[in-house]
Amino acid sequence: MTTIKSVRHSEGDKRGGPEDSAQGSAGQAVPVGGDAGATVRLDGLTMRFGERTVSKDINLTIGAGEVLSIVGPSGCGKTTLLRAVAGLIRPADGVVRIDGRAVDGTPDGVAMVFQHFGLFPWKTVESNVAYALRVRGTGKKEALERARELITLVGLSGFEKSYPHQLSGGMQQRTGLARALAVRPRLLLMDEPFGALDAQTREVLQFELLRIWQDHPVTMLFVTHSIDEAVLFGNRIAVLNGRPSGVAELIDVRLPAHRDRSVLATPEFLAIRERVWSLIMNADAGR
């Protein structure tokens, strides 16, 4: 069994300030998450599809406000892991706990951002963002006010009445992010959120998300095929490999608290990137 313990980061290694909210373009505070963020624990998690075991005996503990990046070869069960945490599928064995409670169904305070946007084509930007609140019983007026705050936060002011087909891919993903933030999540599950975007838009949105997270660091599990993205976001990186997959290595990312483009060229960043690359390439060679 692979057992992973949580890593306590020093104050200098934490990313994010003391503020409990992000700042909209007008300079007003816009709350984007629940206090502190959730803790997540995976105990002996095994996932199967029919007779095929995708992942086996995965043990991870993620601290409140931590970002855990998850990388690995295609087909190793990264998205399946997220879906188990979200309560969308049941593990074959083991248990997922959020704030100490076993996940049975979709837990409160958890939001997921998908690669392919997942917007309702018949709803406007503001209606898509407000939808997450409306299904939780929030009144229409309050939901729309909250939606407009978040639309400003993600840089979409002026597009409130636009429909998804009238938006670029980057704008659609900004809408998806705003919808996820609408419920003030304590845990964000990011399933390759920028994977469908062009390189320039992807980089812009990476740093937009970093800005939002640094203003209010909720717990985040970030699945990506981009090694650079994994290093940029993660406090730690879980590298999955093998068939069935397990945690090959858990890498502590010791980079500056507030990260911008300059960190991409630092020796520390490049060394971590190379380590992750070698683990994934060795896994692919053995498949």
Side-chain angles (χ1 to χ4, degrees):
M1 180 181 291
T2 306
T3 302
I4 304 299
K5 295 182 179 179
S6 63
V7 175
R8 181 178 294 276
H9 295 274
S10 66
E11 287 299 317
D13 194 39
K14 292 181 180 178
R15 285 179 292 144
E19 298 82 9
D20 287 335
S21 60
Q23 297 293 319
S25 62
Q28 295 179 334
V30 182
V32 298
D35 292 341
T39 61
V40 182
R41 181 167 175 166
L42 313 183
D43 287 327
L45 204 69
T46 296
M47 305 300 299
R48 293 193 187 99
F49 290 113
E51 296 299 315
R52 180 185 169 220
T53 301
V54 178
S55 55
K56 185 176 181 180
D57 261 349
I58 292 182
N59 296 272
L60 288 166
T61 301
I62 301 97
E66 180 181 3
V67 180
L68 179 72
S69 296
I70 303 172
V71 297
S74 295
C76 72
K78 299 183 296 295
T79 294
T80 301
L81 198 67
L82 278 195
R83 290 179 179 273
V85 174
L88 300 176
I89 54 177
R90 290 180 179 272
D93 198 6
V95 64
V96 177
R97 289 186 173 86
I98 297 177
D99 289 331
R101 296 183 178 181
V103 171
D104 184 16
T106 305
D108 290 334
V110 177
M112 193 164 183
V113 178
F114 301 92
Q115 177 178 350
H116 294 293
F117 316 135
L119 303 179
F120 296 115
W122 61 89
K123 289 182 178 290
T124 63
V125 167
E126 67 179 11
S127 293
N128 264 289
V129 176
Y131 176 78
L133 294 169
R134 294 288 286 146
V135 298
R136 286 167 169 78
T138 304
K140 183 176 181 179
K141 180 179 179 181
E142 181 182 348
L144 285 175
E145 288 176 353
R146 169 74 175 159
R148 288 163 186 158
E149 289 177 348
L150 288 162
I151 287 166
T152 298
L153 178 69
V154 300
L156 285 178
S157 293
F159 293 92
E160 292 85 353
K161 303 297 184 183
S162 298
Y163 289 89
H165 74 273
Q166 298 172 313
L167 307 175
S168 68
M171 295 166 78
Q172 290 184 54
Q173 195 58 299
R174 287 174 188 263
T175 305
L177 177 59
R179 183 176 61 186
L181 296 175
V183 297
R184 296 185 173 93
R186 303 186 72 242
L187 173 61
L188 265 179
L189 304 175
M190 310 295 282
D191 186 15
E192 296 191 63
F194 310 131
L197 305 176
D198 64 85
Q200 180 177 328
T201 303
R202 180 176 190 142
E203 185 169 324
V204 169
L205 286 186
Q206 284 172 348
F207 288 102
E208 282 289 301
L209 179 57
L210 270 178
R211 173 184 62 82
I212 293 169
W213 185 90
Q214 287 170 345
D215 282 339
H216 192 97
V218 299
T219 308
M220 192 187 312
L221 272 63
F222 199 111
V223 163
T224 179
H225 275 104
S226 167
I227 298 174
D228 284 8
E229 193 167 79
V231 180
L232 180 65
F233 278 94
N235 295 119
R236 295 182 295 159
I237 303 170
V239 182
L240 306 185
N241 66 22
R243 285 187 174 175
S245 69
V247 180
E249 190 167 325
L250 193 66
I251 299 171
D252 199 15
V253 178
R254 298 192 178 278
L255 291 173
H258 288 267
R259 300 175 190 177
D260 55 26
R261 289 196 79 255
S262 65
V263 78
L264 302 176
T266 62
E268 294 82 5
F269 183 97
L270 297 174
I272 298 169
R273 184 191 187 283
E274 185 60 27
R275 178 59 185 161
V276 176
W277 175 264
S278 66
L279 287 167
I280 294 175
M281 290 302 101
N282 288 339
D284 273 339
R287 290 165 78 88

